[in-house]
Amino acid sequence: MVDYLVVGLGLAGITFCEVLEENRKTFKVISDDSQQASQVAGGLYNPVILKRFTMAWKAKQQLLDAKPFYQNLEKKLGVIIDNELPVLRKFASIEEQNLWFEASDRPDLDYFLSTKLHPNKNPAIDAPHCFGEVKYTGRIDTAALVRSYSSYLKNRDLLLEESLDFDAISITNETVSYKNETAKNLVFACGFGLKQDPYFGYLPLNGTKGELLVIHAPEYRENNVIKSSVFTIPMENDRYLVGATYKWKDKTNLPTEESKNELLEKLTTFLKCDFEVVDHVAGIRPTVVDRRPLVGRHPEHKNLYVLNGFGSRGVMIGPYASKQLFDYIEKESELDPEMDIQRFTKKYYSK
C-alpha cells in the first residue's frame, strides 16, 4: 500500500508529487495524455495582470514558493526549465504610461513594476510609447517539465500510463483501491478532465481553451517577453511563442484557423519583420467561475481530494496550492478559504 494515488500529471500532479517526495510519502500516479494544457502552456510566471496593472491573486507569496521549487526540480531532473526573462509591457499611449506609474506606487506592485521607461530599440517592433518592465519574471518550460517528470516516474515504476477507469475505484473508510493499487488517499489533479469525474464533477470548472503559435523570426532578435495585445516569448533558434487566445465554448484540444488568424492579426499590429508560423497548439485551461483554485476534501469520502482550477497561472499557483493541500491532509492545517472547495458544498448536495 502507498500513501497516495495521484490522478493526472500536469502542473498540479507534478507539484503535488514533489511535495510528497519532499515529505517522504509513497505514491503512484495514474495519467494519460488526454489533457494538454500544461504541455502547451506559455509557462510565464508573472505576478502582474498586465491588462489592468493589478496584482494577481496571492502572487507575491506564490512567486516566493515557486522559484526555489523549480530550482530544486532542475537539479533533481538534470534539465533547465526555468528561464528568467523580463516582461516588457508595450504602452499604447501616454495615458497608459501614466496608469503604469500610478500602479507602481501601490503596495506590492511597487516591488514588481519598474518606474524606468524602456525606449524601443528593436526595429522589428512598432512601439513609439516605450515599454514598462515587470521584474522577477520568467518562463517555465512546461513541456520539458512534463516529459522529464514522466520519465523520472517511469524509471521508478511509479507511473501507470492509462485512462482512469472510475468503475475500478473502490473506497472504504481507511483506503482507496484502484485495480491492483491501494492507497490511504487519492488526489484528483486531472485538469479539465475533472468534468468526467463522478466524485468532483459537481465543482464549477468551466475550462477555457487557449491556443498558441510558434513562429520562426530570425530578424526579430528579441530577448525579452513582449506583452501587447498578445505576448511573444523567446525560445531557442529564433523561435518565439505567440499567445494566447481565450475561448469559452470550444472544449477540444484541436487548433483552429479562427484563433490562428486572431493571433496573427494582433501580432502584426506591432511586429514588423518577416516570420513563419512553424507550430500551432491548443489546450483547455482548468478555469473556475470565481477565478480561484479548487482544493480540498470530498464532502462525503474523507480520503478523496482534489487539486485543480489553476487557470492560466499554474506555474505560480501549483507549488503554493500543493503545499497547502499536503498540510491540510497530513497536519490538519486550514486551507486558504478562497480556494477551499467547501465554498461549493451546497452544489454537491443540490445535484
Side-chain angles (χ1 to χ4, degrees):
M1 184 168 71
V2 294
D3 294 313
Y4 288 85
L5 286 174
V6 179
V7 180
L9 198 61
L11 283 165
I14 289 171
T15 52
F16 190 70
C17 288
E18 271 304 283
V19 174
L20 293 178
E21 285 223 321
E22 287 171 14
N23 289 275
R24 299 183 179 181
K25 297 295 182 181
T26 55
F27 65 90
K28 284 203 171 180
V29 178
I30 305 159
S31 181
D32 60 18
D33 291 327
S34 62
Q35 302 306 313
Q36 300 290 315
S38 293
Q39 297 183 52
V40 304
L44 278 181
Y45 54 89
N46 164 30
V48 182
I49 299 171
L50 289 172
K51 191 174 183 179
R52 301 188 295 273
F53 305 153
T54 55
M55 282 290 286
W57 176 71
K58 296 195 183 294
K60 193 169 186 178
Q61 180 60 54
Q62 290 167 10
L63 203 55
L64 287 172
D65 291 346
K67 286 298 290 181
F69 181 89
Y70 291 113
Q71 288 167 359
N72 290 336
L73 260 179
E74 285 185 322
K75 294 174 187 174
K76 175 176 177 171
L77 300 174
V79 294
I80 302 298
I81 54 172
D82 184 2
N83 303 287
E84 295 181 351
L85 296 166
V87 173
L88 300 184
R89 168 62 151 81
K90 186 178 87 72
F91 295 128
S93 63
I94 299 299
E95 288 74 20
E96 272 202 342
Q97 286 184 10
N98 293 335
L99 290 172
W100 176 275
F101 287 121
E102 286 176 19
S104 67
D105 281 336
R106 294 181 210 145
D108 282 345
L109 279 170
D110 60 352
Y111 181 75
F112 294 105
L113 299 187
S114 170
T115 53
K116 177 185 175 184
L117 282 177
H118 288 255
N120 178 34
K121 298 178 181 178
N122 189 336
I125 301 176
D126 181 18
H129 299 294
C130 302
F131 300 94
E133 180 186 349
V134 187
K135 298 179 288 185
Y136 315 114
T137 55
R139 174 181 178 251
I140 300 298
D141 187 338
T142 54
L145 172 59
V146 172
R147 283 196 307 271
S148 299
Y149 209 84
S150 295
S151 296
Y152 173 80
L153 294 181
K154 277 190 267 190
N155 290 338
R156 287 155 181 78
D157 197 27
L158 299 179
L159 179 61
L160 305 177
E161 294 182 278
E162 60 181 76
S163 298
L164 183 71
D165 178 1
F166 288 102
D167 292 334
I169 296 175
S170 175
I171 305 168
T172 71
N173 288 333
E174 302 299 326
T175 64
V176 181
S177 297
Y178 178 73
K179 296 183 177 178
N180 297 322
E181 307 292 341
T182 304
K184 296 176 185 175
N185 303 291
L186 189 154
V187 175
F188 289 100
C190 47
F192 189 64
L194 194 75
K195 297 300 287 184
Q196 313 305 321
D197 188 331
Y199 301 103
F200 291 103
Y202 72 94
L203 293 169
L205 188 77
N206 289 344
T208 309
K209 184 172 182 175
E211 299 190 39
L212 292 166
L213 302 178
V214 179
I215 63 169
H216 181 239
E219 297 173 29
Y220 192 15
R221 300 189 183 95
E222 183 56 57
N223 297 319
N224 303 300
V225 176
I226 301 298
K227 176 67 175 78
S228 183
S229 50
V230 290
F231 60 69
T232 63
I233 304 175
M235 302 168 72
E236 67 286 342
N237 303 320
D238 298 321
R239 295 184 308 148
Y240 299 83
L241 275 173
V242 178
T245 59
Y246 288 80
K247 303 295 181 185
W248 288 268
K249 291 183 180 178
D250 182 1
K251 306 298 186 186
T252 70
N253 288 322
L254 299 174
T256 65
E257 200 67 19
E258 177 190 359
S259 288
K260 177 181 178 181
N261 292 335
E262 178 187 332
L263 290 171
L264 290 175
E265 186 177 330
K266 291 178 177 178
L267 177 65
T268 52
T269 61
F270 66 91
L271 183 62
K272 299 307 176 186
C273 66
D274 291 336
F275 63 88
E276 176 190 5
V277 176
V278 294
D279 202 2
H280 180 191
V281 294
I284 309 299
R285 306 178 189 90
T287 52
V288 187
V289 287
D290 61 2
R291 298 172 184 263
R292 297 291 180 266
L294 299 170
V295 183
R297 179 184 284 126
H298 190 271
E300 293 184 356
H301 301 293
K302 302 308 179 186
N303 42 16
L304 295 188
Y305 298 87
V306 65
L307 182 67
N308 210 314
F310 293 177
S312 60
R313 294 184 178 269
V315 295
M316 287 179 59
I317 293 174
Y320 171 79
S322 292
K323 187 176 185 306
Q324 283 255 330
L325 179 59
F326 180 83
D327 289 348
Y328 173 71
I329 299 170
E330 297 290 342
K331 303 176 184 178
E332 298 185 357
S333 302
E334 287 190 12
L335 281 174
D336 183 325
E338 286 190 84
M339 64 182 183
D340 191 336
I341 60 168
Q342 284 192 25
R343 68 193 193 272
F344 298 119
T345 299
K346 286 183 180 178
K347 285 183 175 291
Y348 177 78
Y349 289 108
S350 64
K351 64 183 172 59

